[in-house]
């Protein structure tokens, strides 16, 4: 019996709160995924925080913006986006003529969920002349109410491009916002108090302890992390050499991994990133600052979920055409300013 027949038998997979389970990432699974993807003329995209098996089966692995651009350029009828829901929405915004699916539509994002379209409308009413800058990690509706999106790679450039006399509403990530405010020195930037619960949980005390225990290691730190300010403080106090502290997007981490001369690197981001870093620089010892920093939403895209998506054509992601047009304008402005990098 084929693995697809097993899927239909309801004997080898179950649907629970944590996602679809019951199918392992075996060679037979990989063969069936490839066969089904080819039959559907589908391209499989996987975010860097996905399970290693999902990253390895994908046609392309990267950050959400890079993957959305690949989706737009792909010669495919369907895009299977292995990530969280806002990422699949962004792919649909940039690929309105393609069918975009996510293997489990319940895979949300605590950061994107930290501000709704109604929240933003109310905030804009308080500052009617402000320029709205939204991190790309937001819903399509929020992007549609945004003047310019940004990534962590070009957030500073985006804000610096705005008239210094204009107020800026920066959302939703408070840690990235604090980083932008620190670098630009801008006083009229208002920051939404949102966060990624995984990155916020990587704290300064953990970073200080790890840096003390590994004095020769480089530090790769995502600006969404709660420890980003602590890292700069450690460098400023001389506890860690300044050149070892690198505040980087996930795409920037991969670039830095290929260039580092360090034998060990401490990484402050979601632990799925370690898989790509170790592939990029196999001679470097990459270790997480917090080994528990695993996003349960990212991990909902299981081997069973991916196979289910390819067999049944679920779950499709649609974006209202008017919302998509407005959101596309804010994303395209982002791409035109500075270096948007590879995504987050």
């Amino acid at each position: 019996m084929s693995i697809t027949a097993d899927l239909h038998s309801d004997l080898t997979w179950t649907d629970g709160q944590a996602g679809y389970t019951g199918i392992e990432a075996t060679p037979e699974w990989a063969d069936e995924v490839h066969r089904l993807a080819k039959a559907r003329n589908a391209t499989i995209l996987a975010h860097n925080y996905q399970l290693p098996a999902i990253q390895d089966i994908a046609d392309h692995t990267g950050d959400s913006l890079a993957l959305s651009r690949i989706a737009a350029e792909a010669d495919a009828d369907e895009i299977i986006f292995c990530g969280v829901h806002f990422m699949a929405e962004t792919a649909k915004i940039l690929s309105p003529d393609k069918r975009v699916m996510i293997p489990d539509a319940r895979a949300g994002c605590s950061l994107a969920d930290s501000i709704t379209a109604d929240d933003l409308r109310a905030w804009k009413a308080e500052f009617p002349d402000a320029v709205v800058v939204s991190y790309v990690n937001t819903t399509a509706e929020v992007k549609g109410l945004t003047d310019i999106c940004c990534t962590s790679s070009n957030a500073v450039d985006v804000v610096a491009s705005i008239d210094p006399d204009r107020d800026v509403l920066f959302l939703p990530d408070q840690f990235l916002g604090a980083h932008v405010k620190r670098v630009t020195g801008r006083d009229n930037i208002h920051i939404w108090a949102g966060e990624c619960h995984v990155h916020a949980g990587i704290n300064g005390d953990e970073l200080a302890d790890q840096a003390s225990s590994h004095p020769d290691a480089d530090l790769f730190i995502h600006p969404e992390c709660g420890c980003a300010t602590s890292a700069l403080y450690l460098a400023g106090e001389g506890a860690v050499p300044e050149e070892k502290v690198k505040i980087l997007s996930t795409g920037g981490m991969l670039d830095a991994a290929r260039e580092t001369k360090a034998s060990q690197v401490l990484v402050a981001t979601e632990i799925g990133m370690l898989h790509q870093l170790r592939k990029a620089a196999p001679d470097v010892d990459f270790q997480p600052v917090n080994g528990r920093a695993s996003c349960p939403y990212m991990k909902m895209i299981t081997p069973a979920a991916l196979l289910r998506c390819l067999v049944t054509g679920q779950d499709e992601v649609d974006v209202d055409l008017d919302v998509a047009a407005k959101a596309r304008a804010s994303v395209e402005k982002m791409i035109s300013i500075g270096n948007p990098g590879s995504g987050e």
Side-chain angles (χ1 to χ4, degrees), residues 87-343:
M87 297 178 181
E89 281 189 332
T90 306
K92 183 64 176 179
I93 288 165
L94 295 178
S95 312
D97 297 329
K98 293 189 176 76
R99 188 166 188 242
V100 176
M101 292 180 288
I102 184 170
D104 193 331
R106 296 167 295 186
C109 173
S110 60
L111 178 56
D113 289 346
S114 68
I115 187 167
T116 66
D118 286 342
D119 290 333
L120 181 51
R121 288 187 189 97
W123 201 25
K124 289 175 70 170
E126 294 180 44
F127 301 91
D129 297 323
V131 177
V132 178
V133 177
S134 293
Y135 191 24
V136 74
N137 295 29
T138 45
T139 65
E141 282 193 297
V142 168
K143 288 184 178 74
L145 295 169
T146 294
D147 295 302
I148 312 173
C149 284
C150 72
T151 69
S152 58
S153 297
N154 76 342
V156 169
D157 290 333
V158 166
V159 171
S161 75
I162 297 167
D163 183 336
D165 294 329
R166 296 281 300 276
D167 281 339
V168 173
L169 304 184
F170 188 95
L171 61 104
D173 189 79
Q174 60 184 308
F175 298 112
L176 179 58
H179 171 68
V180 171
K181 184 173 184 177
R182 181 171 54 244
V183 174
T184 62
R186 192 168 186 137
D187 292 328
N188 59 348
I189 180 170
H190 309 275
I191 301 169
W192 189 261
E195 64 182 29
C196 161
H197 73 286
V198 175
H199 282 105
I202 306 174
N203 62 57
D205 290 341
E206 286 177 321
L207 178 68
D209 288 345
Q210 291 273 25
S212 176
S213 301
H214 305 87
D216 296 325
D218 278 356
L219 306 181
F220 288 5
I221 299 162
H222 196 284
E224 285 182 35
C225 287
C227 65
T229 299
S230 297
L232 296 173
Y233 174 79
L234 290 172
E237 292 295 302
V240 176
E242 187 173 346
E243 67 273 11
K244 288 186 172 294
V245 177
K246 305 178 192 302
I247 309 296
L248 300 164
S249 66
T250 50
M253 287 183 185
L254 284 171
D255 292 337
R258 298 183 184 102
E259 297 172 2
T260 186
K261 299 298 189 290
S263 60
Q264 188 174 60
V265 175
L266 301 177
V267 182
T269 191
E270 208 274 351
I271 59 173
M273 189 65 206
L274 295 169
H275 184 62
Q276 288 299 315
L277 290 170
R278 288 165 178 163
K279 288 172 68 174
D283 295 331
V284 178
D285 178 23
F286 293 97
Q287 293 297 326
V289 169
N290 181 337
R292 304 177 305 283
S294 176
C295 175
Y297 297 116
M298 286 286 184
K299 273 45 178 182
M300 289 182 76
I301 310 303
T302 60
L306 176 56
L307 191 61
R308 165 190 170 271
C309 178
L310 287 165
V311 169
T312 67
Q314 297 173 292
D315 294 324
E316 186 168 0
V317 175
D318 282 313
V319 178
D320 176 84
L321 291 177
D322 186 51
V323 170
K326 293 174 182 176
R328 191 178 308 117
S330 65
V331 172
E332 288 174 349
K333 286 180 185 176
M334 168 187 73
I335 292 170
S336 71
I337 296 174
N339 173 24
S342 303

Side-chain angles (χ1 to χ4, degrees), residues 54-102:
I54 300 297
Q55 293 188 41
D56 289 343
I57 199 72
D59 297 303
H60 303 279
T61 303
D63 295 335
S64 64
L65 178 60
L67 293 175
S68 293
R69 286 166 153 176
I70 289 168
E73 296 168 1
D75 182 18
D77 296 322
E78 297 181 346
I79 303 299
I80 314 297
F81 206 119
C82 299
V84 293
H85 198 269
F86 82 80
M87 297 178 181
E89 281 189 332
T90 306
K92 183 64 176 179
I93 288 165
L94 295 178
S95 312
D97 297 329
K98 293 189 176 76
R99 188 166 188 242
V100 176
M101 292 180 288
I102 184 170

Side-chain angles (χ1 to χ4, degrees), residues 1-9 11-12:
M1 181 181 289
S2 75
I3 195 167
T4 300
D6 286 343
L7 182 70
H8 287 304
S9 74
L11 296 176
T12 58

